Every structure is written in C-alpha cells, then in structure tokens.
Amino acid sequence: MIATEHDLRKFSLAFLLAALLAVFLTIPASAAKIDDQFRAWLQTDLWPDAKAKGVSKQTFDAAFSGVKPNLKLPDLVMPGEKPKTPQKQHQAEFGSPGAYFADKTVRAVTSGGRTREAANARTLASIEKRYGVPGEILLAIWGRETGFGAAKMPYDAFEVLGTKAFISTKKDFFRTELLAALEIVQRGLAPVGAMKSSWAGALGQPQFMPTSFLKHAVDFDGDGRVDIWNSTPDVLASIANYLVHYGWVRGRGWGFEVMVPQSVSCSLEGPDQGKKIAQWAAMGIERVGGKAFPASELKAEGFLLMPAGRSGPAFIATPNFYVLKEYNTSDLYALFIGHGADRIAHGDQNFTAGWGAVGDLRRSDIAALQRALEAKGYDVGSADGLPGFKTRRSIGRWQEKNGQAATCFPDAGLVAALK
C-alpha cells in the first residue's frame, strides 16, 4: 500500500512525539541510574570496608538512609566519564594580598573575639594552661572559620562525603573521610542527625574533617560528649589540641612585623631558610615601631616572611606561624590568624607597612611564569597560579641573577620577560 501525504504527516508527528517522550524520560532515568549505582556502590564496595573497621550494619544503614548523590557539588566525575581537562584559569589573582585583610573582615573577627574573650575568660585560661595556646589565637581561628559558630552547616555530612567518595576527583581522600565519619557515629561520639557539614564535608565550628575530629576533638566541658557543633569549651579546646599536635611551641607567639633593609634579599624567605632572630637582627632587620625583639626570642629560630615581596609588610615568623598553616595551607590565612589574634589582644592596630599596588594578574599568567621558572631550574612549588613563598623567592633569585632589583612578586613585566 502506498502511504498518503496525510499518513506521512501522522507518522512524522508520532515519531516526533515519541522522540520527545524518550528525551523527557531519559533525564530522570539517568539520575535514577546514578542513584541506583550509588546504592550498589554503598553495599558492594563501601560496606565491606566499613564492616572491617567495626561499623555495624545498623549504623551504616542509618547514616545513608534517604541519602542520594548530590550532583551539585564541585569536582565530580559522572560514572563512565573521564575527568575533564582543567580549563585555562582566567579568574583574576588576589590583586594585592592586602585584599585578604579587608578592614571589615578583620574587624568582624577582632571585635567578636574580644567580646567572646571576656565571656569565656575562665575557659580560655584553662585551655591555655593545659595546651599552651593563647586564647586570642583560638578566637581568631574560631571567628575566621565559622564566624564564632554563626555560619550554618547546611549539608548532611554523609551526603557530601558519600557523593565525593563515589564520584569525585579525589575519591580516595573522601573515602577515608567517609569511613572516619561512620566511625564517629559508631563510637557514639555524635549521632547521625548531628553530622552536619560544609560543602566540603568539614564538621562543626572548628571545621574539622572527620579524621581530624577523631584525632583532635576533645570533651573539655566534662559532659562526657565531644561536641564541636554546640559546646564552646569543646570547640576551643579542640582547636588548641589540633595546634599542639602539629607542634605549637608554648610561650612563643607567631611572629613580628619588621622592616627589611634593601641589603637583605627578599629571596631569603621561607621556612627552610631559618636563622636565629639575633642573626636576622644583626643583618639590619628591625621590628616596626622601634620595639626590640624580646630577649627570650633572640636565640630562637625565625623565618623571613614577605607575602607581597617588597610591595607589602614583612615579618619574622616563628615556627608557630607554620603550625597555623597546618590549619589552612596559606601564608595569608596564617598571617590573618596571627594578626587577628594580636588585634584581639592589643587593639585594632593595622600593619605598619601598607600593601602595594601589585597583583591584578590572571592565575593563568602566573602559572605560565611559574612554568617558565621551572624550565630554568627554579623550584616554584607547583605551577598552580598562586604565588607562594617558593614562587616569590624564585622570582627574586631570577631577578638578582639577571641584574634586576629583587621584588619577589609577580607582575606583568615579569610575565612578559619570562615567556
């Protein structure tokens, strides 16, 4: 039989409707498929490991009751797909590192810290007596991490950690953290319903990952429970315990703002180039404001720190500065905590030196500069587009080698010269 034009139109319309219906049905089916794969992964892959670590089936099932993969989280790789090639980084760098120390941000920590210092004076004194960490340091971290507990923890930790252990670019890391989270519940340290986290799976007011919770969280209020979500004594003592674990030296501060003469190269920066503070002083480095270094510090080791090279404040840091970096691996973070602690203790006095008009480069530009320095044999740490101390001092060494005044910070001229 020969099809008529009318028959063909009917067939075309029916085919179009069927195709649209197939597309419509595929979307939820795809999500459902990932959900099914996730449930299968939980039972066949994760559960044997959890069981081997002493987690009961009751705890395991309660933790994942109603949990589905959160596909809105960053750094995920869908099942069957390969990780995407990192896109070229176009976002601007920090500008001047001084932007990290915006007065509004610092004052929120320092004013809030002073208020809570008065309200928790006895607790802070007890913690400092036991752990040797000044209360102002603890308050600065608490304020920076979660606004003294005001920041909400909107995520279910098992949803976040489960998703990331299942399909993230760092599955092994998050699998370890997920198993630790299950252990927290199994040991009765927190009920499933209390396991609220950030989008990265960090827990409570100190923002501990689960492995850090197990290692460092303490019951300081004596109620028999470790509660970093609601107990201020537990929060503050847990932070102190964390810092002590990473080597906090009792009786020393974090560092001093200094003036560095031109005769001292900025390429001497870094935790692997320490000298006795008396030696730095003999080279002409002085504390700002005409203050002398404490006599107790002169024979102790210190490290040159110049976060913006010659275009910003300079410091002699103590080993405690690098303990603060264990909380967040950023020079600027550790400096913010130290500076914030000083301002809580002594009033809102800013750095003596100002931050210069540096930065405003794209991370891709800085990464290109880092790769160029690596090709010339310099150790920049990694070509990540972030000018850490290894990049800063490598810039200084290249500048000195090429007859230039060392600035130890990237700029557009350097990027062009090293291409």
Side-chain angles (χ1 to χ4, degrees):
M1 185 175 80
I2 299 174
T4 65
E5 184 178 345
H6 176 70
D7 292 332
L8 289 172
R9 283 201 303 269
K10 283 176 64 179
F11 175 78
S12 298
L13 181 59
F15 180 81
L16 178 61
L17 289 172
L20 289 172
L21 182 61
V23 171
F24 176 76
L25 291 174
T26 299
I27 296 170
S30 176
K33 183 178 179 182
I34 292 176
D35 290 348
D36 290 342
Q37 290 174 326
F38 178 67
R39 303 309 302 186
W41 171 81
L42 287 175
Q43 299 304 323
T44 62
D45 192 330
L46 186 67
W47 163 240
D49 274 4
K51 183 180 180 181
K53 289 184 174 294
V55 176
S56 71
K57 195 67 166 64
Q58 182 181 5
T59 296
F60 190 86
D61 290 344
F64 294 107
S65 177
V67 171
K68 296 181 179 181
N70 184 341
L71 303 183
K72 294 181 181 179
L73 295 172
D75 303 321
L76 303 183
V77 182
M78 293 301 106
E81 295 182 3
K82 294 182 179 179
K84 295 180 180 178
T85 302
Q87 295 180 341
K88 187 177 181 181
Q89 295 166 318
H90 292 290
Q91 67 267 42
E93 174 50 16
F94 300 111
S96 168
Y100 197 88
F101 300 89
D103 197 57
K104 182 179 179 180
T105 305
V106 179
R107 283 183 182 273
V109 170
T110 57
S111 62
R114 280 192 291 272
T115 298
R116 287 160 181 82
E117 186 174 40
N120 298 280
R122 183 175 297 179
T123 296
L124 289 165
S126 297
I127 292 171
E128 183 166 0
K129 183 178 180 180
R130 180 179 298 183
Y131 296 101
V133 182
E136 293 84 5
I137 291 287
L138 307 178
L139 291 164
I141 291 174
W142 186 25
R144 179 68 186 181
E145 290 297 325
T146 56
F148 307 102
K152 302 300 180 186
M153 296 293 110
Y155 292 92
D156 180 316
F158 292 105
E159 175 188 271
V160 171
L161 297 170
T163 301
K164 288 180 170 285
F166 176 51
I167 52 172
S168 81
T169 56
K170 296 172 65 178
K171 290 193 291 186
D172 291 344
F173 170 83
F174 284 104
R175 186 187 186 92
T176 299
E177 296 298 339
L178 179 56
L179 290 168
L182 288 165
E183 185 179 346
I184 290 169
V185 175
Q186 181 64 40
R187 288 170 53 182
L189 300 174
V192 168
M195 295 289 283
K196 301 299 182 184
S197 75
S198 70
W199 62 267
L203 304 172
Q205 296 185 37
Q207 286 292 273
F208 281 176
M209 294 303 290
T211 52
S212 289
F213 180 103
L214 291 172
K215 291 176 185 175
H216 311 303
V218 296
D219 170 24
F220 200 77
D221 61 13
D223 68 352
R225 296 186 305 114
V226 178
D227 187 357
I228 62 170
W229 291 270
N230 303 295
S231 169
T232 295
D234 289 5
V235 167
L236 294 171
S238 296
I239 296 170
N241 193 40
Y242 182 101
L243 296 176
V244 168
H245 173 85
Y246 283 103
W248 185 271
V249 181
R250 183 187 290 265
R252 296 195 76 184
W254 67 271
F256 311 91
E257 187 182 356
V258 298
M259 294 180 293
V260 180
Q262 290 295 326
S263 58
V264 176
S265 172
C266 53
S267 67
L268 293 175
E269 183 181 8
D272 53 351
Q273 299 191 103
K275 302 178 186 295
K276 290 181 179 180
I277 290 180
Q279 292 176 294
W280 290 117
M283 295 167 69
I285 292 178
E286 300 176 348
R287 285 185 71 185
V288 299
K291 301 175 185 176
F293 290 108
S296 60
E297 288 285 328
L298 291 175
K299 293 183 180 180
E301 191 173 33
F303 312 92
L304 184 61
L305 172 70
M306 301 180 75
R310 288 285 178 185
S311 297
F315 308 88
I316 294 296
T318 75
N320 284 341
F321 175 86
Y322 295 97
V323 174
L324 294 177
K325 276 190 72 173
E326 294 289 344
Y327 217 96
N328 182 319
T329 56
S330 159
D331 287 338
L332 297 183
Y333 176 89
L335 183 58
F336 184 102
I337 298 303
H339 178 57
D342 287 349
R343 288 174 61 159
I344 290 171
H346 306 299
D348 278 311
Q349 183 174 351
N350 212 332
F351 298 123
T352 298
W355 300 91
V358 293
D360 294 326
L361 292 172
R362 299 186 186 281
R363 282 186 62 176
S364 53
D365 293 329
I366 297 174
L369 182 150
Q370 290 169 321
R371 287 191 293 272
L373 286 168
E374 281 181 328
K376 296 179 183 297
Y378 293 91
D379 177 10
V380 300
S382 64
D384 57 3
L386 300 173
F389 76 89
K390 288 186 176 181
T391 295
R392 297 194 296 265
R393 71 188 186 191
S394 293
I395 288 171
R397 290 167 181 170
W398 181 87
Q399 289 170 319
E400 290 168 346
K401 186 176 180 180
N402 287 273
Q404 300 180 17
T407 65
C408 295
F409 206 76
D411 58 44
L414 275 168
V415 171
L418 281 162
K419 276 187 175 177

